[in-house]
């Protein structure tokens, strides 16, 4: 039986407490937070501490910044590393599991002109390993985990598949760095998503879910029984965090409500948060 979480921006309500009231009634087991830049996440600490005191479970934070730890520009890399170390510290204070980030987002794609990035593969590997090591060491000190998210080929040119993330994590050699898988990106990049999950099983630390079209699970053509079955076989113990767009023909709240029972049906289990 998988636990589910919903990203905060998808939930109705003016406060995290109100969002949790809705999420709990809908069958979710937690709220995944969003970590914006300029230390915005750290500045939310009074709000987040209050939500924790009121019993709101916040297991993870997903980075939501304009640049990331493997940016081409050195100043942007330093800023992203500072932001991420801060986010790891905050989620640790909240008793969470860790923070999820890609290496980059939208800064280059080998599939679109000009096709050749301005940085060679050797330098890119050095940047990736340096950033992952720095963040992984900080995560270890805080008692949490950094989740590296492979993105599809149109959003990142460095880490697209689980096997690439595994190779980097092995090279870093820290248990505090793991993969944050995303069903949408896997649907594009993995020839066999369930097999990729099983192969990467020891390195998977977090999972985000949306369907093949980036809408909520159940709105596309992803093979959910196979995907969830592979994750169960991999021994995954974390949350399935909803990160998606919502189909326009449904009321947003209804679309969000539909996910826990859908995932439960696809995995053959009852929604863990239902009936509270």
């Amino acid at each position: 039986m998988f636990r589910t979480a919903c990203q905060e921006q998808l939930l109705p309500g003016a406060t995290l407490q109100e969002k949790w009231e809705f999420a709990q009634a809908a069958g979710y087991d937690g709220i995944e937070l969003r970590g914006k830049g300029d230390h915005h996440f750290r500045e939310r600490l009074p709000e987040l501490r209050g939500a924790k005191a009121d019993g709101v479970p916040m297991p993870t934070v997903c980075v939501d910044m304009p640049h990331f730890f493997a940016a081409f520009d050195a100043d942007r890399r330093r800023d992203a590393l500072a932001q991420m170390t801060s986010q790891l510290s905050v989620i640790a204070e909240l008793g969470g599991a860790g923070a999820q980030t890609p290496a980059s987002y939208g800064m280059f794609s080998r599939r679109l002109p000009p096709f050749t990035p301005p940085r060679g593969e050797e330098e890119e590997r050095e940047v990736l390993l340096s950033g992952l090591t720095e963040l992984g060491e900080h995560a270890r000190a805080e008692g949490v985990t950094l989740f590296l998210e492979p993105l599809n080929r149109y959003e990142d040119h460095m880490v697209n598949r689980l096997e690439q993330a595994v190779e980097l994590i092995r090279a870093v050699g820290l248990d505090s760095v793991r993969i944050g898988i995303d069903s949408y990106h896997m649907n594009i990049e993995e020839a066999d998503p369930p097999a990729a999950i099983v192969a990467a099983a020891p390195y998977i630390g977090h999972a985000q879910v949306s369907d093949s079209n980036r809408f909520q699970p159940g709105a596309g053509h992803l093979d959910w029984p196979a995907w969830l079955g592979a994750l169960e076989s991999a021994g995954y113990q974390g949350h399935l965090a909803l990160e998606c767009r919502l189909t326009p023909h449904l009321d947003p709240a209804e679309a969000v409500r539909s996910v826990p029972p859908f995932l439960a049906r696809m995995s053959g289990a009852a929604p863990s948060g239902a009936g509270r």
Side-chain angles (χ1 to χ4, degrees), residues 253-274:
E254 190 58 37
V256 172
R257 282 193 196 97
S258 73
V259 175
F262 173 80
L263 292 175
R265 289 196 305 273
M266 294 300 100
S267 63
S272 60

Side-chain angles (χ1 to χ4, degrees), residues 153 161-163 185-196:
R153 66 195 71 181
R161 300 184 308 281
L162 302 197
E163 65 185 43
H185 297 296
M186 290 185 66
N187 178 68
I188 296 171
E189 291 298 333
E190 304 292 350
D192 186 339

Side-chain angles (χ1 to χ4, degrees), residues 54 157 199:
D54 288 335
H157 68 290

Side-chain angles (χ1 to χ4, degrees), residues 73-121:
D73 180 79
D75 289 338
R76 290 187 173 187
R77 287 199 300 274
R78 282 191 291 270
D79 179 72
L81 288 167
Q83 300 288 336
M84 286 305 302
T85 54
S86 174
Q87 291 183 24
L88 288 163
S89 295
V90 171
I91 201 68
E93 180 175 336
L94 300 176
Q100 176 142 329
T101 183
S104 71
Y105 169 77
M107 75 180 196
F108 199 88
S109 171
R110 294 180 186 274
R111 304 289 176 156
L112 300 169
F115 301 113
T116 302
R119 186 171 61 197
E121 290 188 12

Side-chain angles (χ1 to χ4, degrees), residues 24-36:
Q24 191 174 22
Y28 291 93
D29 303 281
I31 295 178
E32 179 162 270
L33 302 168
R34 299 282 287 193
K36 297 184 182 297

Side-chain angles (χ1 to χ4, degrees), residues 85-226:
T85 54
S86 174
Q87 291 183 24
L88 288 163
S89 295
V90 171
I91 201 68
E93 180 175 336
L94 300 176
Q100 176 142 329
T101 183
S104 71
Y105 169 77
M107 75 180 196
F108 199 88
S109 171
R110 294 180 186 274
R111 304 289 176 156
L112 300 169
F115 301 113
T116 302
R119 186 171 61 197
E121 290 188 12
E122 183 176 340
E123 184 182 359
E124 289 195 329
R125 181 175 171 79
E126 290 175 0
V127 166
L128 288 168
L129 292 179
S130 174
L132 289 171
T133 299
E134 180 175 337
L135 294 173
E137 289 176 345
H138 184 79
R140 180 174 60 181
E142 292 284 9
V144 292
T145 303
L146 176 77
F147 304 118
L148 174 63
E149 179 180 5
L151 301 188
N152 73 74
R153 66 195 71 181
Y154 304 108
E155 298 179 24
D156 177 33
H157 68 290
M158 290 175 285
V159 187
N160 305 126
R161 300 184 308 281
L162 302 197
E163 65 185 43
Q164 293 173 308
V166 167
E167 193 279 327
L168 289 167
I169 291 169
R170 283 176 173 165
V172 169
L174 293 169
D175 290 342
S176 54
V177 182
R178 286 294 177 259
I179 308 172
I181 67 173
D182 185 302
S183 57
Y184 168 74
H185 297 296
M186 290 185 66
N187 178 68
I188 296 171
E189 291 298 333
E190 304 292 350
D192 186 339
I197 288 173
V198 172
Y203 301 93
I204 295 174
H206 186 48
Q208 293 179 333
V209 292
S210 63
D211 220 310
S212 56
N213 50 11
R214 207 33 154 173
F215 290 126
Q216 72 273 8
H221 62 250
L222 199 148
D223 186 347
W224 286 104

